[in-house]
Amino acid sequence: MQTELREQIEFALDTIRPYLEADGGNVRIVELTEDNVLKIEMLGNCGSCPMSSMTLKAGVEEAIKRAIPEITRVEAVNLTIV
């Protein structure tokens, strides 16, 4: 992953991290695929919370796609709920 693109992603994640951390969670970049799908890992409470799929779509994906429109989708590698 390009350094500049990774920095943009981290900056976008930093806008929502305080909300995740307030609930004992966080998020980590795993990879960005060739077709611009960002794979992340939900950490802490975010990995086991029943609301994680909503947090992923309404929070994380929204923030990422708003900041970096070329990212087509955000997927959590450790959530079984879609």
Side-chain angles (χ1 to χ4, degrees):
M1 180 182 327
Q2 302 169 351
T3 303
E4 183 179 326
L5 186 55
R6 184 177 188 91
E7 288 174 1
Q8 288 179 313
I9 293 168
E10 287 288 356
F11 183 80
L13 290 174
D14 284 346
T15 65
I16 59 160
R17 275 197 171 107
Y19 304 106
L20 300 175
E21 290 168 347
D23 289 328
N26 207 331
V27 63
R28 178 181 72 85
I29 297 170
V30 175
E31 74 170 307
L32 182 62
T33 66
E34 288 183 16
D35 54 345
N36 288 333
V37 174
L38 178 65
K39 297 195 180 223
I40 61 166
E41 181 180 9
M42 303 292 277
L43 303 171
N45 288 341
C46 289
S48 58
C49 174
M51 298 301 286
S52 289
S53 61
M54 183 181 292
T55 300
L56 173 66
K57 291 295 174 191
V60 178
E61 185 173 64
E62 178 77 20
I64 294 292
K65 290 173 84 172
R66 184 176 33 230
I68 310 130
E70 57 267 27
I71 293 188
T72 57
R73 192 169 67 245
V74 178
E75 296 177 356
V77 298
N78 60 327
L79 294 184
T80 54
I81 307 164
V82 179

